[in-house]
Amino acid sequence: MAIISDPLAIGRVIGDVVDYFTPSVKMSVTYNSNRQIFNGHELFPSAVTTKPKVHIHGGDMRSFFTLVMTDPDVPGPSDPYLREHLHWIVTDIPGTTDASFGKEVVSYEMPRPNIGIHRFVFILYKQKRRQTVMKIPTSMDCFDTRKFAAENDLGNPVAAVFFNAQRETAARRR
């Protein structure tokens, strides 16, 4: 019996958001210049109000990437009937820089989980060429990462990372 140790599989990102893939580049996501995202860690929504820095490691001058940020647990993890909620899309990210040099086609929306613990997933795709992404979603709710990737001929993801967040209450903020 195989032991599954991939944090994306344990966190059900693989399955709920994307199919199994083999990462081929490294991606780091950092909020507020010092809070790097690691799979499964919990962050307070107040710590992720502004868009993060997303660095791609392993690209080259001819590579372009698309970044998608989504919440597959809307409105709540026990009944995510609005799965997924789109939070951000950046396309045409040069392989030697970060997402701030890409084209933001869906503006960053800060996480606002209301019920339960939500996963916020960053998925990175390598584009076949620049300006590949042409079919931009019209709704943030009921977004489908797999469908978006297929419609824009992006193929499998090349990297992904996720964090957890839940609603902050006065008692938790101490």
Side-chain angles (χ1 to χ4, degrees), residues 18-37:
V18 296
D19 295 324
Y20 181 80
F21 69 97
T22 302
S24 58
V25 299
K26 292 185 179 185
M27 170 178 64
S28 62
V29 179
T30 307
Y31 279 96
N32 303 320
S33 301
N34 63 353
R35 184 161 293 212
Q36 186 172 349
I37 302 303

Side-chain angles (χ1 to χ4, degrees), residues 106-143:
V106 173
S107 296
Y108 180 80
E109 178 184 318
M110 68 175 272
R112 289 187 186 100
N114 286 323
I115 303 166
I117 299 171
H118 289 237
R119 297 165 291 167
F120 294 90
V121 185
F122 295 89
I123 307 108
L124 188 69
Y125 294 93
K126 185 174 182 180
Q127 297 172 201
K128 291 186 168 64
R129 64 191 173 287
R130 193 170 190 180
Q131 299 179 343
T132 298
V133 177
M134 299 301 206
K135 295 183 180 171
I136 305 303
T138 56
S139 172
M140 304 294 256
D141 285 325
C142 299
F143 179 73

Side-chain angles (χ1 to χ4, degrees), residues 81-98:
Y81 64 87
L82 292 176
R83 175 179 291 166
E84 304 163 35
H85 183 82
L86 178 62
H87 281 267
W88 197 27
I89 295 179
V90 183
T91 66
D92 296 331
I93 303 166
T96 56
T97 60
D98 62 62

Side-chain angles (χ1 to χ4, degrees), residues 5-25:
S5 61
D6 185 331
L8 295 173
I10 292 168
R12 297 183 341 271
V13 169
I14 293 174
D16 287 351
V17 181
V18 296
D19 295 324
Y20 181 80
F21 69 97
T22 302
S24 58
V25 299

